[in-house]
């Protein structure tokens, strides 16, 4: 789950990482009031989940409250990479002496949590990685001992940080690591992390993504969810208790079990098809869940066919078949559906499906080929 800059900064300040004073406004008048209270030069910043707001014109300096109102007027309602700006952060402006990058990620390659630092802050780090990969310094924390002071110093040396600024940097790097671990983040980055004209460290921007699988440990984080920024289908899937990930293909998949869902996508690809999604409806196939799954899949207009791959374990195949039929009654569609049903009472289940004129199959290979063919005919 992504959160906004102002929310990530609230978390950073709990870890004593210096951020500028600021508050969010949802109207130009409010922005003006905030600017007046802050006093002096402010920055008005679009709060959307997309990065690169600066380049898109979503970050503007303002010298006076009047100007802050004007800039907020221009930024509110702006569309940045598909997100509409509904709120702006109005914050004290900093005088930048030097911009750095500092980020923490789950590093699958290194099998650990890696801190990345660069002297090339401000620009997108992906760009630096492409053009100047040697400018990105990495250290991987020990899973048991955490991030050592020596590792934070190694980062600082590699980033060319002046001697008298290293202790301050080490504190920030260690606290950022602690914030990452304690909040179960997937990504936590400061870009730019600056030295201001007075020589003090400040986090000018912050980006944080929570690990969805750990959200149950961070109930307070739910309040930071911005539904306006999330995909409609994914919101509905979460409500229905389905795990759903949208993909680019045209064959919708409804599967019970994550492992089976992966195998289903592989088999579709093997026979020349392209899955439109990953979808795990969990154990069994209750009518309401089936209906929700189909509704979500069909919200993607390019879906040409749907494949059900259901394994009846504890749930019986005939119950599954009845669930599918009841679900299909809730959602009328002419998109062809192929159902592979196997396991407990699968024969009874398939008979029920055939009586309802639904295409069924016994093996995954057979089902995959059928659905790939139908999808091709309709494309
Ligand atoms: P992003 O483009 O979405 O990453 O938004 P940022 O918050 O990183 O802002 C983009 C750029 O605007 C930064 O790299 C800075 O160069 C500039 N900027 C942001 N805040 C300030 C500020 O307080 N003072 C100054 N002078 N520039 C700022
Ligand atoms: Mn940034």
């Amino acid at each position: 789950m992504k959160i906004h800059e102002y929310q990530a900064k609230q978390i950073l300040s709990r870890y004593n990482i210096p951020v500028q004073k600021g508050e969010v406004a949802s109207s130009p008048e409010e922005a003006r009031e905030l600017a007046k209270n802050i006093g002096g030069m402010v920055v008005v910043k679009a709060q959307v989940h997309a990065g690169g707001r600066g380049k898109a014109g979503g970050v503007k300096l303002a010298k006076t409250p009047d100007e802050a109102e004007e800039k907020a007027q221009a930024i509110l309602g702006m569309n940045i990479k598909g997100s509409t700006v509904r709120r702006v952060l109005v914050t004290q402006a900093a005088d930048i002496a030097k911009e750095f990058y500092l980020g923490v990620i789950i590093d699958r390659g290194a099998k650990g949590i890696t801190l990345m630092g660069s002297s090339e802050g401000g620009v997108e780090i992906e760009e630096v990685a492409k053009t100047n990969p040697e400018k990105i310094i990495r250290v991987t924390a020990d899973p048991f001992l955490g991030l050592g002071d020596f590792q934070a110093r190694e980062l600082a040396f590699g980033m060319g940080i002046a001697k008298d600024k290293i202790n301050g940097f080490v504190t920030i790097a260690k606290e950022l690591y602690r914030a990452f671990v304690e909040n179960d983040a997937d990504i936590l980055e400061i870009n730019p992390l600056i030295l201001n004209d007075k020589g003090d460290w400040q986090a000018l921007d912050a980006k944080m993504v929570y690990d969805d699988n750990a959200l149950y440990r961070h109930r307070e984080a739910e309040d930071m969810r911005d539904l306006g920024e999330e995909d409609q289908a994914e919101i509905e899937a979460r409500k229905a208790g389905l795990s759903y990930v949208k993909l680019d293909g045209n064959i919708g998949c409804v599967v019970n079990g994550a492992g089976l869902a992966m195998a289903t996508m592989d088999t579709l690809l093997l026979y020349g098809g392209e899955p439109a999604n990953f979808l795990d409806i969990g154990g069994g196939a209750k009518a309401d869940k089936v209906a929700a799954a189909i509704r979500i899949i069909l919200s993607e207009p390019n879906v040409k066919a749907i494949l059900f791959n259901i394994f009846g374990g504890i749930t019986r195949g005939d119950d599954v078949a009845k669930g599918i039929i009841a679900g299909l009654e809730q959602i009328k569609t002419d998109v062809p559906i192929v159902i592979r049903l196997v396991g407990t009472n699968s024969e009874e289940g398939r008979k029920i499906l055939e009586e309802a004129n639904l295409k069924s199959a016994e093996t995954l290979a057979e089902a995959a080929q059928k659905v790939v063919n139908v999808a091709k005919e309709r494309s």
Side-chain angles (χ1 to χ4, degrees):
M1 180 185 82
K2 288 185 185 169
I3 59 173
H4 288 294
E5 172 195 5
Y6 77 92
Q7 296 164 326
K9 280 181 169 170
Q10 285 165 0
I11 293 174
L12 293 187
S13 57
R14 289 213 294 273
Y15 289 83
N16 296 315
I17 295 175
V19 295
Q20 299 132 287
K21 261 204 316 207
E23 268 181 78
V24 281
S26 41
S27 71
E29 299 73 38
E30 249 181 279
R32 175 204 187 86
E33 273 312 295
L34 293 177
K36 207 165 89 188
N37 293 342
I38 292 168
M41 179 96 102
V42 297
V43 201
V44 182
K45 310 179 77 176
Q47 297 299 290
V48 286
H49 285 172
R53 296 163 302 161
K55 269 191 216 151
V59 176
K60 291 190 189 325
L61 288 162
K63 290 191 205 79
T64 61
D66 277 346
E67 214 181 312
E69 181 173 351
E70 226 173 83
K71 299 285 151 90
Q73 176 84 48
I75 295 172
L76 286 163
M78 190 183 258
N79 188 303
I80 300 180
K81 295 182 184 165
S83 303
T84 305
V85 182
R86 291 190 189 82
R87 277 169 298 178
V88 289
L89 172 64
V90 180
T91 183
Q92 218 166 29
D95 273 318
I96 304 174
K98 170 88 189 115
E99 294 182 300
F100 296 89
Y101 170 91
L102 182 63
V104 193
I105 54 155
I106 302 275
D107 187 346
R108 289 172 205 283
K111 300 191 179 76
I113 295 171
T114 292
L115 272 84
M116 297 190 296
S118 178
S119 55
E120 306 301 295
V123 278
E124 279 166 58
I125 199 68
E126 291 83 0
E127 203 47 45
V128 183
K130 246 187 263 160
T131 52
N132 295 86
E134 76 289 347
K135 290 270 174 70
I136 300 177
I137 318 299
R138 296 161 190 267
V139 295
T140 301
D142 183 285
F144 298 107
L145 304 174
L147 181 76
D149 286 26
F150 73 96
Q151 290 182 302
R153 277 197 298 274
E154 196 181 313
L155 268 180
F157 296 144
M159 290 161 70
I161 293 170
K163 257 194 195 137
D164 61 328
K165 304 298 171 207
I166 290 182
N167 283 346
F169 174 83
V170 167
T171 308
I172 290 174
K174 293 192 72 171
E175 286 298 289
L176 192 67
Y177 172 78
R178 197 162 70 86
F180 182 94
V181 173
E182 288 181 357
N183 291 285
D184 288 306
D186 254 349
I187 294 171
L188 179 51
E189 80 176 17
I190 305 176
N191 188 28
L193 170 66
I194 66 149
L195 279 169
N196 66 17
D197 55 339
K198 297 192 186 72
D200 298 326
W201 288 106
Q202 270 184 325
L204 238 59
D205 184 14
K207 175 174 167 180
M208 178 163 162
V209 181
Y210 276 94
D211 175 351
D212 288 332
N213 293 312
L215 277 178
Y216 73 96
R217 297 208 285 210
H218 305 282
R219 299 274 181 223
E220 77 291 351
E222 246 347 283
D223 297 337
M224 292 192 278
R225 189 185 285 285
D226 183 351
L227 289 177
E229 287 271 8
E230 295 190 2
D231 184 60
Q232 210 43 49
E234 285 178 13
I235 295 171
E236 199 185 336
R238 196 171 50 246
K239 272 194 210 141
L242 306 168
S243 40
Y244 167 85
V245 180
K246 186 189 141 28
L247 300 169
D248 296 327
N250 61 2
I251 301 175
C253 302
V254 184
V255 187
N256 65 339
L260 191 59
M262 302 292 273
T264 305
M265 298 193 304
D266 283 349
T267 313
L268 279 180
L269 284 164
L270 180 67
Y271 290 108
E274 294 270 355
N277 64 277
F278 165 99
L279 192 153
D280 175 10
I281 56 168
K286 296 263 152 37
D288 284 347
K289 279 203 170 181
V290 170
I294 297 173
R295 199 164 34 235
I296 289 160
I297 286 175
L298 293 180
S299 69
E300 277 308 316
N302 65 331
V303 170
K304 295 282 185 272
I306 299 176
L307 171 62
F308 274 74
N309 188 12
I310 306 289
F311 176 77
I314 296 167
T315 357
R316 292 164 22 193
D318 44 344
D319 282 346
V320 169
K322 284 176 202 154
I324 293 174
I325 290 166
L328 286 173
E329 268 161 19
Q330 294 181 30
I331 304 285
K332 298 272 180 246
T333 174
D334 52 5
V335 172
I337 295 174
V338 176
I339 301 160
R340 182 235 182 181
L341 186 58
V342 73
T344 314
N345 285 12
S346 58
E347 273 171 36
E348 291 87 333
R350 273 203 301 280
K351 213 153 112 203
I352 294 171
L353 293 174
E354 266 152 42
E355 279 161 11
N357 278 328
L358 286 163
K359 282 196 179 70
S360 75
E362 193 174 351
T363 68
L364 179 51
E366 182 193 342
Q369 288 171 63
K370 272 190 190 169
V371 78
V372 168
N373 287 338
V374 205
K376 278 196 180 133
E377 278 164 24
R378 288 172 50 94
S379 310

